[in-house]
Amino acid sequence: MNELRCKVLIIGGGPGGYVAAIRAGQLGLDTILVEAGRLGGTCLNVGCIPSKALIHAADAAHSLREPQALNAIGLSIGRPELDFAKTIGWKDSIVARLTGGVGALLKKAKVRTVLGSAQIVDGKTVIAHADTGESRIEAEHLIIATGSEPAELPALPFGSDVLSSTESLALTEVPGSLAVVGAGYIGLELGIAFAKLGSRVTIVEALAKILPLYDQELTQPVARRLADLGVETLTGAKAISFAKGALKVAEADGKERTIAADKLLVAVGRRARTGGFDLEKLDLTMSGPFVRIDDQCATSMRNVWAIGDVTGEPMLAHRAMAQGEMVAEIIAGEKRAFDSVAIPAICFTDPEIVAVGLAPEAAKAAHGEIRVGRFPFRANGRAMTLQDDEGFVRVVARADNNVVLGIHAVGAGVSELSSAFSLALEMGARLEDIALTIQAHPTLGEAFHEAALTALGHSLHI
């Protein structure tokens, strides 16, 4: 068995783990990263990146199948044919390019990478099991970055035609019919994509509304788009069983119904990956199923840190990255703490949703009287030229001093506005700061400016 020593040992090579490793290496800390699968973790390999590639392919295919929109701008073409195997190959090439890039960045930062499973011995020792042999690694600091995995329903175990998001991104052909259990962001992103690719899609959600983490004002445009795409949405409904291409569902009125489906996607959330590497040997304080951390990502055990999905919500790659960078800098002696005021949440549905900070109800509960400004994309010239003016930008601020508390948007391409939204909250912007910032014309960003003007009571273009 190889005997290795280092300053920093990281278990997990996803966004949080590999960023922590790169930053630690940049700071001159002797670092070892242990990853059981492929570098990049869920996000790069079977999550964020491949799903967005599939969504783009679906959007492209669907745009060619809407002759009315094409005819409006003077285009007339024949019906396109989809080679889905080639689509998947293109998606996989993007994944390979990015994971290869992560490996190169780790090497540049002088991080030693061990591709194998980890087994914790104690807070300073891990056994790494790789194809090349076993290594006993001793470290001064241990960072747990093991991420999360799809949650399974006891009545609908994964296997065969019951898919998690991972398997749905590896299909070799578009299913003729697809049932999706769960109307959160994963279920709707993939459900909409497959509907655009030609599947007959049915969404089943146990709660009373789709996208339950977002307020109804933001989700209404998505609900309308689902109907336009022919997606049937059942809310307040419970999936009971699936067999022989039939999903049995108890609807909101209590009546049972059977839905025909070639494939069933179960997308009811994700759970922390805490099993399989002897985490229990550390006897860490937990917050339910998650590792409890403070504002520096320190656990209850000295020199043991945890970052990313294993620490709970929000389970977002960019949160994990920020935490990983911070922990590396703390270990290097810098003074850092994590402030979650401006973590953007994005739902890549059609239309897209962006939420940063507090929604109106939460803002009012926390701060009393508020100002809310909205500006619709139907009054935005750029949205019109893109043939998609559904949605709006909304700004929420305190009424007494106009400090911005939350910024939200729903519409085509609004994910690219998230950086401006986050920066405004991070810098403690007031409505006047946004209103006095000159936005380029014509852009979607003008709606951000106009929403602030509306909150101040003097919108220019509505």
Side-chain angles (χ1 to χ4, degrees):
M1 180 181 295
N2 294 325
E3 298 286 341
L4 303 174
R5 293 179 180 275
C6 62
K7 179 78 172 181
V8 182
L9 172 60
I10 302 166
I11 302 177
Y18 82 70
V19 166
I22 291 170
R23 186 64 183 129
Q26 290 174 342
L27 292 166
L29 304 177
D30 185 18
T31 303
I32 294 177
L33 173 68
V34 181
E35 166 55 46
R38 297 176 63 186
L39 292 173
T42 294
C43 181
L44 261 64
N45 291 284
V46 292
C48 319
I49 299 301
S51 66
K52 303 313 167 283
L54 185 68
I55 288 168
H56 172 71
D59 287 345
H62 188 69
S63 67
L64 297 176
R65 294 170 176 166
E66 288 192 318
Q68 186 175 1
L70 294 175
N71 289 339
I73 59 175
L75 287 176
S76 179
I77 59 175
R79 184 170 180 81
E81 293 185 6
L82 176 68
D83 184 341
F84 194 60
K86 193 170 183 178
T87 303
I88 295 301
W90 168 75
K91 178 263 294 181
D92 291 343
S93 71
I94 295 173
V95 171
R97 180 179 174 185
L98 288 172
T99 54
V102 169
L105 291 169
L106 289 166
K107 186 176 181 180
K108 180 181 179 181
K110 296 182 172 56
V111 175
R112 287 178 282 173
T113 302
V114 178
L115 296 179
S117 59
Q119 177 186 354
I120 292 174
V121 177
D122 55 43
K124 292 183 179 294
T125 312
V126 166
I127 304 296
H129 305 274
D131 291 341
T132 54
E134 292 187 350
S135 299
R136 181 183 179 89
I137 307 172
E138 294 188 5
E140 294 181 35
H141 295 266
L142 175 63
I143 301 177
I144 300 166
T146 49
S148 62
E149 57 195 4
E152 191 174 49
L153 291 175
L156 300 169
F158 297 134
S160 187
D161 292 329
V162 181
L163 316 174
S164 72
S165 56
T166 299
E167 290 80 39
S168 71
L169 291 168
L171 291 171
T172 56
E173 59 183 23
V174 177
S177 54
L178 174 71
V180 180
V181 176
Y185 75 94
I186 296 174
L188 287 194
E189 284 183 5
L190 294 174
I192 289 173
F194 278 107
K196 289 182 175 181
L197 289 168
S199 294
R200 185 176 69 257
V201 176
T202 305
I203 307 286
V204 179
E205 170 57 51
L207 298 180
K209 63 186 289 288
I210 64 171
L211 298 172
L213 296 180
Y214 296 90
D215 63 79
Q216 192 166 359
E217 188 176 26
L218 292 173
T219 62
Q220 282 177 340
V222 179
R224 288 194 290 269
R225 184 59 170 151
L226 287 168
D228 290 343
L229 291 170
V231 176
E232 183 179 11
T233 305
L234 305 176
T235 55
K238 182 181 179 182
I240 301 172
S241 63
F242 181 74
K244 298 180 179 179
L247 174 65
K248 186 179 291 186
V249 173
E251 296 191 271
D253 59 6
K255 295 180 181 178
E256 288 193 0
R257 174 183 167 186
T258 299
I259 298 169
D262 297 324
K263 300 289 183 182
L264 174 65
L265 168 61
V266 177
V268 293
R270 298 182 65 82
R271 62 186 181 191
R273 186 178 283 115
T274 56
F277 56 100
D278 293 341
L279 179 65
E280 59 275 7
K281 289 186 177 180
L282 299 183
D283 194 26
L284 299 176
T285 301
M286 305 293 285
S287 294
F290 306 109
V291 178
R292 179 179 293 179
I293 55 173
D294 63 12
D295 64 355
Q296 293 185 314
C297 292
T299 70
S300 57
M301 191 169 182
R302 177 177 167 80
N303 288 356
V304 176
W305 316 78
I307 60 177
D309 290 5
V310 75
T311 66
E313 296 289 352
M315 291 185 177
L316 299 168
H318 40 285
R319 170 179 175 263
M321 290 176 174
Q323 289 177 324
E325 181 182 10
M326 179 192 71
V327 170
E329 292 178 355
I330 291 172
I331 293 173
E334 298 185 19
K335 292 184 178 181
R336 290 287 310 276
F338 194 73
D339 185 355
S340 60
V341 68
I343 302 179
I346 302 175
C347 189
F348 289 87
T349 45
D350 180 6
E352 296 175 347
I353 297 176
V354 174
V356 187
L358 300 178
E361 287 188 10
K364 190 171 184 178
H367 299 279
E369 190 176 353
I370 60 173
R371 297 178 186 270
V372 180
R374 299 173 183 81
F375 189 82
F377 284 119
R378 58 181 165 77
N380 177 270
R382 181 57 176 154
M384 294 180 192
T385 65
L386 293 172
Q387 290 188 290
D388 203 334
D389 60 2
E390 176 74 276
F392 57 88
V393 174
R394 183 181 70 195
V395 178
V396 182
R398 291 176 56 143
D400 56 352
N401 58 14
N402 291 341
V403 170
V404 177
L405 302 172
I407 310 169
H408 316 90
V410 55
V414 295
S415 58
E416 297 303 325
L417 298 178
S418 63
S419 295
F421 296 173
S422 299
L423 183 62
L425 262 69
E426 183 67 32
M427 301 302 291
R430 297 173 187 259
L431 290 172
E432 292 85 350
D433 296 316
I434 300 170
L436 293 171
T437 299
I438 298 173
Q439 299 283 341
H441 174 75
T443 64
L444 298 178
E446 289 178 280
F448 183 25
H449 171 246
E450 288 274 1
L453 288 176
T454 302
L456 289 169
H458 54 89
S459 180
L460 295 174
H461 288 96
I462 53 171

